Amino acid sequence: MSFSIPRQRPRSYKHNSRRGAFLSHNDKSDLSISTSIELLQSEESFLQILSAIGDLVLVKGPNSKLIWANQAFCDYYGMTAAQLRGILDAPFSEPDHTQQYVSDDAWVFDNKMVLSIPQEPVTRHDGAVRFFNTVKSPIFNAAGDVIMTVGISRDITDQLEAQKISEEQRARATYSSKMATLGEMAGGIAHELNTPLAAILLMAEMIENQNNSLASPDPEIAENAESISVATQRMSTIIKSLKGFSRDATNDERASFPVRELIESTLELCGPKFKNDEVSVQVVQDNLDFMVHGQIVQLSQTLLNLLHNAYDSIRGSANKWIKIETCLASASFEIRVTDSGQRIAKDIAAKIFQPFYTTKGIGEGTGLGLSISAAIVKNHGGELFYDSNKSNTTFVIRLPIPKSQKEAA
Ligand SMILES: Nc1ncnc2c1ncn2[C@@H]1O[C@H](COP(=O)(O)OP(=O)(O)OP(=O)(O)O)[C@@H](O)[C@H]1O
Ligand SMILES: [Mg+2]
């Protein structure tokens, strides 16, 4: 899990109004950890109050050495106050995190200001990486030198998760409503276009009939009329696919259909564009009669996302091809989309399924394609993944074999 929100600059400089309440030392350099502990312990009731606080309270001396932690902090790290005393960080913590805490503490010491850290990673005693919201404040002696820091932290991991889920839900809802609007528009266009298309088709048939009734029919006219009919029927098919594709199909009934239908109807939508840009699409003919069980519109959205991603990544290159192949194994059926691109860099590949992650320019990609596609395939009991073992970029839609086909086998 990695969140990377940059550190906020400190909000303000604050003198500690309690300075001198339990510290009278003037020189920070000769304030040893044991002296600090003694001073703190003399304020027994004060420490009891701090220990009762549910948030994590931690007092550190110069060079980030831990001096005192409240009960909540000890419980969180599964260590006693004595075990924590004098060390830099819990031994099981990530070294990078420790380094960051040390440099934050040094910043508070050097700048004599409060440091507000909206989100910092920490390692809990069970090894889980969690996130704290922390405020580190300087504690001054009478001379105005910083002698200690006090950090107050709260575990905000659950809150961040909840925020992430609600952002994803909102994004999905926006995406669905965008698709539904597109569907409505496509429906309207289809309705408007169907009438003139039917008229063109009729005219083409009339020309063909008139030509055929001549004593010597003109083969060129027959051929042209045929071309008009074919082109018109193709336009009807595209409009039908577009209408089907762009509506919200989340609640569609599941049905069985040959994988050929899924691939062909998806290619109806993007094939011409790819051809225009000289991107060749090869469909390996094996297993195309395999019967998939699911929501064809949803799966077509998934396949279209993969094809578009492939197209986007290779369209500027010299050798441009996309291959769609299927693979039937004992427990699963796979649709593999490979493009001529040379794999995805490791650090990028680690993030591509995160919602909103995109390497495309503003207005070019929302970064939702793969996360929504993965959710669709998961809903079908399968998984969508990037196959990093291949030398070309390959994405795989893996679906379970429908029960009926398992029984038939
Ligand atoms: N075939 C591919 N080759 C190279 N990179 C890819 C490929 N497919 C996906 N990616 C990377 O994964 C990122 C996320 O893809 P995703 O489909 O989720 O969003 P997007 O394509 O950027 O935006 P959108 O789908 O909204 O248009 C892409 O920006 C790209 O960096
Ligand atoms: Mg995409």
Short mmCIF file of all heavy atoms in Angstrom, two decimals, residues 175 304-310 312 357-358 360 364-371 373, ligand 2:
data_model
loop_
_atom_site.label_atom_id
_atom_site.label_comp_id
_atom_site.label_asym_id
_atom_site.label_seq_id
_atom_site.Cartn_x
_atom_site.Cartn_y
_atom_site.Cartn_z
N TYR A 175 -18.80 7.37 -13.95
CA TYR A 175 -18.48 6.63 -15.18
C TYR A 175 -19.75 6.00 -15.75
O TYR A 175 -20.05 6.14 -16.93
CB TYR A 175 -17.46 5.55 -14.85
CG TYR A 175 -16.89 4.82 -16.04
CD1 TYR A 175 -15.80 5.32 -16.73
CD2 TYR A 175 -17.45 3.62 -16.46
CE1 TYR A 175 -15.26 4.65 -17.81
CE2 TYR A 175 -16.92 2.94 -17.54
CZ TYR A 175 -15.83 3.45 -18.20
OH TYR A 175 -15.31 2.77 -19.26
N LEU A 304 -12.81 -3.74 -24.70
CA LEU A 304 -12.57 -2.49 -25.42
C LEU A 304 -11.53 -1.63 -24.69
O LEU A 304 -10.67 -1.01 -25.32
CB LEU A 304 -13.88 -1.71 -25.59
CG LEU A 304 -13.78 -0.54 -26.56
CD1 LEU A 304 -13.75 -1.06 -28.00
CD2 LEU A 304 -14.96 0.42 -26.43
N ASN A 305 -11.60 -1.62 -23.35
CA ASN A 305 -10.60 -0.88 -22.57
C ASN A 305 -9.20 -1.41 -22.84
O ASN A 305 -8.26 -0.63 -23.02
CB ASN A 305 -10.88 -1.05 -21.08
CG ASN A 305 -11.77 0.03 -20.53
OD1 ASN A 305 -11.65 1.18 -20.93
ND2 ASN A 305 -12.66 -0.34 -19.63
N LEU A 306 -9.08 -2.73 -22.87
CA LEU A 306 -7.76 -3.32 -23.11
C LEU A 306 -7.27 -2.98 -24.51
O LEU A 306 -6.09 -2.64 -24.71
CB LEU A 306 -7.80 -4.84 -22.94
CG LEU A 306 -8.15 -5.37 -21.55
CD1 LEU A 306 -8.03 -6.89 -21.52
CD2 LEU A 306 -7.23 -4.77 -20.49
N LEU A 307 -8.19 -3.05 -25.48
CA LEU A 307 -7.78 -2.75 -26.86
C LEU A 307 -7.38 -1.29 -27.01
O LEU A 307 -6.40 -0.96 -27.68
CB LEU A 307 -8.92 -3.11 -27.83
CG LEU A 307 -9.21 -4.61 -27.94
CD1 LEU A 307 -10.51 -4.86 -28.70
CD2 LEU A 307 -8.07 -5.32 -28.65
N HIS A 308 -8.15 -0.42 -26.37
CA HIS A 308 -7.81 1.01 -26.45
C HIS A 308 -6.49 1.33 -25.79
O HIS A 308 -5.70 2.13 -26.28
CB HIS A 308 -8.93 1.86 -25.85
CG HIS A 308 -9.89 2.34 -26.90
ND1 HIS A 308 -9.51 3.22 -27.88
CD2 HIS A 308 -11.16 2.01 -27.16
CE1 HIS A 308 -10.53 3.41 -28.69
NE2 HIS A 308 -11.55 2.69 -28.28
N ASN A 309 -6.25 0.69 -24.63
CA ASN A 309 -4.97 0.90 -23.95
C ASN A 309 -3.82 0.45 -24.84
O ASN A 309 -2.79 1.13 -24.93
CB ASN A 309 -4.93 0.10 -22.64
CG ASN A 309 -5.71 0.78 -21.53
OD1 ASN A 309 -6.15 1.91 -21.69
ND2 ASN A 309 -5.90 0.09 -20.43
N ALA A 310 -4.02 -0.71 -25.48
CA ALA A 310 -2.98 -1.24 -26.37
C ALA A 310 -2.75 -0.26 -27.52
O ALA A 310 -1.60 0.13 -27.81
CB ALA A 310 -3.40 -2.61 -26.90
N ASP A 312 -3.42 2.94 -27.65
CA ASP A 312 -2.80 4.19 -27.18
C ASP A 312 -1.30 4.04 -26.99
O ASP A 312 -0.55 4.98 -27.24
CB ASP A 312 -3.42 4.63 -25.83
CG ASP A 312 -4.79 5.24 -26.03
OD1 ASP A 312 -5.11 5.65 -27.16
OD2 ASP A 312 -5.55 5.31 -25.04
N TYR A 357 -5.08 6.14 -11.70
CA TYR A 357 -3.68 6.14 -12.11
C TYR A 357 -3.62 6.14 -13.64
O TYR A 357 -4.17 5.27 -14.30
CB TYR A 357 -2.91 4.92 -11.58
CG TYR A 357 -1.48 4.95 -12.09
CD1 TYR A 357 -0.54 5.76 -11.47
CD2 TYR A 357 -1.13 4.25 -13.24
CE1 TYR A 357 0.75 5.85 -11.97
CE2 TYR A 357 0.16 4.34 -13.76
CZ TYR A 357 1.09 5.13 -13.11
OH TYR A 357 2.36 5.25 -13.62
N THR A 358 -2.98 7.14 -14.19
CA THR A 358 -2.84 7.22 -15.64
C THR A 358 -1.51 7.85 -16.00
O THR A 358 -1.00 8.69 -15.25
CB THR A 358 -4.00 8.02 -16.28
OG1 THR A 358 -3.83 8.02 -17.69
CG2 THR A 358 -4.09 9.45 -15.79
N LYS A 360 -1.41 9.04 -19.07
CA LYS A 360 -1.86 9.83 -20.22
C LYS A 360 -2.06 11.28 -19.82
O LYS A 360 -2.23 11.58 -18.63
CB LYS A 360 -3.15 9.22 -20.78
CG LYS A 360 -2.88 7.82 -21.30
CD LYS A 360 -4.11 7.07 -21.71
CE LYS A 360 -3.71 5.63 -22.03
NZ LYS A 360 -4.86 4.77 -22.22
N GLU A 364 -6.95 13.05 -21.66
CA GLU A 364 -6.76 11.86 -22.51
C GLU A 364 -7.15 10.58 -21.80
O GLU A 364 -7.60 9.62 -22.41
CB GLU A 364 -5.31 11.76 -22.94
CG GLU A 364 -4.97 12.69 -24.09
CD GLU A 364 -3.50 12.62 -24.42
OE1 GLU A 364 -2.94 11.52 -24.43
OE2 GLU A 364 -2.91 13.69 -24.65
N GLY A 365 -6.94 10.53 -20.49
CA GLY A 365 -7.28 9.30 -19.76
C GLY A 365 -7.72 9.64 -18.35
O GLY A 365 -7.19 10.55 -17.73
N THR A 366 -8.73 8.89 -17.86
CA THR A 366 -9.17 9.13 -16.49
C THR A 366 -8.41 8.22 -15.52
O THR A 366 -8.42 8.46 -14.33
CB THR A 366 -10.67 8.78 -16.34
OG1 THR A 366 -10.84 7.40 -16.65
CG2 THR A 366 -11.53 9.63 -17.24
N GLY A 367 -7.81 7.18 -16.05
CA GLY A 367 -7.13 6.22 -15.17
C GLY A 367 -8.11 5.27 -14.51
O GLY A 367 -7.77 4.61 -13.53
N LEU A 368 -9.32 5.20 -15.05
CA LEU A 368 -10.33 4.32 -14.44
C LEU A 368 -10.54 3.03 -15.22
O LEU A 368 -11.12 2.07 -14.71
CB LEU A 368 -11.68 5.06 -14.36
CG LEU A 368 -11.81 6.08 -13.26
CD1 LEU A 368 -13.09 6.87 -13.41
CD2 LEU A 368 -11.76 5.41 -11.91
N GLY A 369 -10.05 3.02 -16.48
CA GLY A 369 -10.32 1.88 -17.36
C GLY A 369 -10.01 0.53 -16.73
O GLY A 369 -10.88 -0.34 -16.63
N LEU A 370 -8.77 0.36 -16.26
CA LEU A 370 -8.37 -0.96 -15.75
C LEU A 370 -9.04 -1.30 -14.43
O LEU A 370 -9.39 -2.45 -14.19
CB LEU A 370 -6.84 -1.02 -15.59
CG LEU A 370 -6.05 -1.20 -16.89
CD1 LEU A 370 -4.55 -1.19 -16.60
CD2 LEU A 370 -6.43 -2.48 -17.60
N SER A 371 -9.24 -0.29 -13.56
CA SER A 371 -9.85 -0.63 -12.26
C SER A 371 -11.31 -1.04 -12.46
O SER A 371 -11.78 -1.99 -11.83
CB SER A 371 -9.71 0.52 -11.27
OG SER A 371 -10.40 1.63 -11.71
N SER A 373 -12.54 -2.29 -15.27
CA SER A 373 -12.51 -3.58 -15.98
C SER A 373 -12.23 -4.72 -15.01
O SER A 373 -12.85 -5.78 -15.09
CB SER A 373 -11.42 -3.56 -17.05
OG SER A 373 -11.67 -2.53 -17.97
MG MG B 2 -7.67 2.84 -20.42
#
